[in-house]
């Protein structure tokens, strides 16, 4: 099982005890060993992803040993029994982080935590589903926030679960030493075979009678494992007995476990990073729409959003067919492209409003100059032509000129709004 959730980064990089780059896992096969370094992952996918998900500048990891319980470094299992073996942190790249810093709205998260481990073995089927549900629960109001507190305890100093995270995305692979058992009689009565029962109950992380339509979420993975993908995560079940091959100290599903911990996880990490950026831009657009129109702020936001779209939001796994399929399926059910289009339309409308505001302001300033200058110039010309042009006659001339100016400003809405806004800005400055 693997948990993914957004975190707020307030510590050092990499944290103490963490090594640069992604977690290194090994797949032992007859042909030899395959190691999950960033370079190997890029070799089978796309080099452009290195800067976003595998570079030491954006990813680090820590392997959690399994010492004795009295060892100070012993990592307590979660309240649901989830045992951690590897922790990874994936943060946004330098440009994305700089863009978030310049935003006036503070983003809830700027990194993704990836927690690899396993659930307790030798427990009943429905207890396994319940353990999965509880492991992914980050709601601070449930069970006195015990699971959220545990997740924070796993993270290094300076890192914490993002304030808007209520449920972790998860990847789960369930296998059995024998044939896969029926999960529940009620599910069987609904016409689902054992594999589909496990898929839908694990995906919904619920013991209730399943209601999710699996058809649109099912994808083909290596080994023909039944798999579903959606906003909750990715779940696979092994329909064959998980046996150890003769002469090889690995199980039948060793390769599936390796793929899930590496490229399949990377696909969902990219999906979560995309969500972080979309949420950050959406929050900034909302703040900008409520604030006084600011052309420079909108221009900077449009430029950053364009860079996000050309990098993170258009990221592809290239030759990696299965992780690319996972990411596309995730995006479809999370409506990633629809959210991006809404943001694009909102930014376009906001930019139009700013331009309209600036045009009206410019016209009002020109009108105000004319409103003040023309009567004042006319009054001064009349005063200069008087035979007794003195201080007294100057005031006698300026009073009606001032009255004309005040009347024009009060009568013209644009001039009145410009004058009031100027006084408001001056009052805020004081």
């Amino acid at each position: 099982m693997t948990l993914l959730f957004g975190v707020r980064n307030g510590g050092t990089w990499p944290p103490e005890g963490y090594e640069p780059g992604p977690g290194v896992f090994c797949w032992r096969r007859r042909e030899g060993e395959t190691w999950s370094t960033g370079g190997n992952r890029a070799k089978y996918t796309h080099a452009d992803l290195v800067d976003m998900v595998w570079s030491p500048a954006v990813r680090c990891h820590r392997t959690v040993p399994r010492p004795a319980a009295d060892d100070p470094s012993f990592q307590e299992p979660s309240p649901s029994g989830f045992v951690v073996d590897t922790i990874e942190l994936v943060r946004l790249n330098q440009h994305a982080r700089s863009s978030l810093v310049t935003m006036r709205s503070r983003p809830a998260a700027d990194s993704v935590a990836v927690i690899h481990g396993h659930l307790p073995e030798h427990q009943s089927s429905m207890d396994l589903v319940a353990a999965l549900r509880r492991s992914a629960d980050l709601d601070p109001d449930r069970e006195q926030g015990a699971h959220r507190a545990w997740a924070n305890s796993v993270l290094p100093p300076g890192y914490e679960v993002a304030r808007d995270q209520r449920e972790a995305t998860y990847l789960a692979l369930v296998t059995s030493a024998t044939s896969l058992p029926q999960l529940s009689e009620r599910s069987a009565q609904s016409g689902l075979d054992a594999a589909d029962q496990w898929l839908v109950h694990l995906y919904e992380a619920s013991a209730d009678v399943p209601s999710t339509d699996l058809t649109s979420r099912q994808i083909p993975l290596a080994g023909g494992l039944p798999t579903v993908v959606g906003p909750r995560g990715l779940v696979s079940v092994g329909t064959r007995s998980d046996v150890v091959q003769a002469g090889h100290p690995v199980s039948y599903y060793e390769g599936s476990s390796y793929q899930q911990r590496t490229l399949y996880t990377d696909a969902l990490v990219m999906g979560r990073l995309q969500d972080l950026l979309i949420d950050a831009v959406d929050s900034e657009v909302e703040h900008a729409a409520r604030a006084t129109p600011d052309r420079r702020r909108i221009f900077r936001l449009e430029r950053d959003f364009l860079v996000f779209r050309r990098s993170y939001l258009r990221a592809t796994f290239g030759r990696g067919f299965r992780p690319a399929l996972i990411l596309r399926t995730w995006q479809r059910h999370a409506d990633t492209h629809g959210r991006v289009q809404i943001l694009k339309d909102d930014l376009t409308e906001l930019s139009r409003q700013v331009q309209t505001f600036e045009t009206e302001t410019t016209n009002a300033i020109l009108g105000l100059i004319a409103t003040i200058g023309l009567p004042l110039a006319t009054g001064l010309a009349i005063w200069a032509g008087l035979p007794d042009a003195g201080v007294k006659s100057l005031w006698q001339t300026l009073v009606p000129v001032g009255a004309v100016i005040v009347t024009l400003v009060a009568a013209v809405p644009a001039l009145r709004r410009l004058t009031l806004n100027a006084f408001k800005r001056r009052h805020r400055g004081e």
Side-chain angles (χ1 to χ4, degrees):
M1 180 176 170
T2 300
L3 299 174
L4 294 87
F5 50 88
V7 299
R8 184 71 191 173
N9 177 358
T12 60
W13 184 270
E16 184 179 356
Y18 281 70
E19 300 179 25
V24 180
F25 303 99
C26 181
W27 179 13
R28 294 177 176 85
R29 302 179 293 170
R30 291 188 179 91
E31 299 83 356
E33 296 179 342
T34 299
W35 294 88
S36 63
T37 63
N40 283 341
R41 301 188 199 193
K43 184 188 304 182
Y44 292 100
T45 54
H46 201 291
D48 288 349
L49 294 176
V50 174
D51 177 57
M52 292 181 279
V53 290
W54 297 314
S55 165
V58 299
R59 193 164 184 160
C60 62
H61 72 277
R62 179 171 77 91
T63 301
V64 179
R66 297 186 182 179
D70 58 354
D71 191 303
S73 62
F74 177 72
Q75 178 68 58
E76 288 284 351
S78 76
S80 63
F82 179 66
V83 180
V84 178
D85 58 53
T86 305
I87 304 171
E88 297 183 279
L89 296 172
V90 188
R91 64 176 183 174
L92 296 167
N93 62 21
Q94 178 61 46
H95 180 272
R97 296 197 307 273
S98 299
S99 299
L100 296 189
V101 169
T102 59
M103 292 183 181
R104 299 179 190 177
S105 57
R106 183 177 174 83
D110 55 12
S111 306
V112 173
V114 183
I115 314 297
H116 300 282
H118 63 272
L119 290 170
E121 302 176 7
H122 310 299
Q123 58 181 326
S124 69
S125 301
M126 295 314 298
D127 285 345
L128 190 64
V129 174
L132 171 61
R133 180 181 66 252
R134 296 175 68 212
S135 297
D137 190 359
L138 299 176
D139 194 328
D141 297 325
R142 291 180 184 168
E143 300 187 30
Q144 292 76 49
H147 297 279
R148 189 182 187 91
W150 173 84
N152 277 318
S153 72
V154 171
L155 299 174
Y159 293 74
E160 62 179 357
V161 180
R163 62 179 183 272
D164 63 346
Q165 300 293 289
R166 294 293 180 270
E167 183 178 354
T169 301
Y170 53 85
L171 297 93
L173 170 63
V174 175
T175 63
S176 175
T178 59
S179 60
L180 200 67
Q182 292 282 342
L183 196 54
S184 71
E185 292 185 4
R186 289 188 301 171
S187 299
Q189 292 172 358
S190 65
L192 298 175
D193 61 19
D196 284 348
Q197 291 176 37
W198 278 92
L199 285 175
V200 72
H201 278 289
L202 289 172
Y203 179 75
E204 292 190 344
S206 172
D208 296 333
V209 177
S211 59
T212 300
D213 177 20
L214 297 176
T215 305
S216 63
R217 291 184 171 89
Q218 286 184 312
I219 61 173
L221 291 186
L225 266 68
T227 303
V228 295
V229 178
R232 300 181 71 96
L234 179 150
V235 176
S236 300
V237 296
T239 55
R240 294 180 57 176
S241 301
D242 189 4
V243 298
V244 176
Q245 299 180 12
H248 297 273
V250 293
S251 71
Y252 174 77
Y253 291 107
E254 184 76 12
S256 300
S257 176
Y258 172 84
Q259 294 287 356
Q260 176 177 297
R261 284 172 164 246
T262 56
L263 290 179
Y264 299 171
T265 293
D266 292 339
L268 292 190
V269 165
M270 178 57 70
R272 291 305 304 262
L273 291 174
Q274 291 173 347
D275 282 350
L276 295 187
L277 289 173
I278 293 173
D279 290 342
V281 174
D282 182 69
S283 179
E284 182 69 1
V285 168
E286 181 179 355
H287 279 75
R290 295 175 181 273
T292 302
D294 186 338
R295 177 178 57 82
R296 289 178 297 179
R297 182 182 186 183
I298 302 305
F299 172 76
R300 183 174 60 249
L301 186 56
E302 287 179 320
R303 181 193 59 195
D304 291 338
F305 187 54
L306 176 61
V307 175
F308 294 160
R309 288 172 56 201
R310 300 295 300 181
S311 55
Y312 281 93
L313 300 179
R314 287 190 179 181
T316 174
F317 280 82
R319 296 180 296 276
F321 165 73
R322 292 184 180 91
L325 179 60
I326 291 172
L327 180 59
R328 288 198 303 271
T329 307
W330 162 279
Q331 291 173 336
R332 183 170 71 254
H333 290 285
D335 195 26
T336 301
H337 297 298
R339 295 179 64 196
V340 170
Q341 185 60 47
I342 290 174
L343 279 179
K344 181 181 177 182
D345 294 342
D346 288 347
L347 274 173
T348 300
E349 174 61 22
L350 194 57
S351 179
R352 186 195 65 79
Q353 292 180 7
V354 170
Q355 292 177 356
T356 300
F357 176 81
E358 289 189 339
T359 299
E360 291 180 349
T361 301
T362 300
N363 292 338
I365 290 174
L366 294 176
L368 186 60
I369 293 175
T371 300
I372 296 174
L374 184 60
L376 185 60
T378 302
L380 291 176
I382 295 174
W383 170 76
L386 294 176
D388 56 342
V391 175
K392 182 178 179 180
S393 59
L394 176 61
W395 283 109
Q396 291 175 343
T397 304
L398 291 179
V399 168
V401 169
V404 171
I405 293 174
V406 171
T407 301
L408 290 174
V409 170
V412 180
L415 297 177
R416 183 171 65 251
R417 183 172 61 250
L418 179 66
T419 304
L420 291 175
N421 288 339
F423 277 106
K424 288 180 181 178
R425 285 194 294 268
R426 181 174 180 273
H427 178 70
R428 286 196 300 265
E430 294 174 351

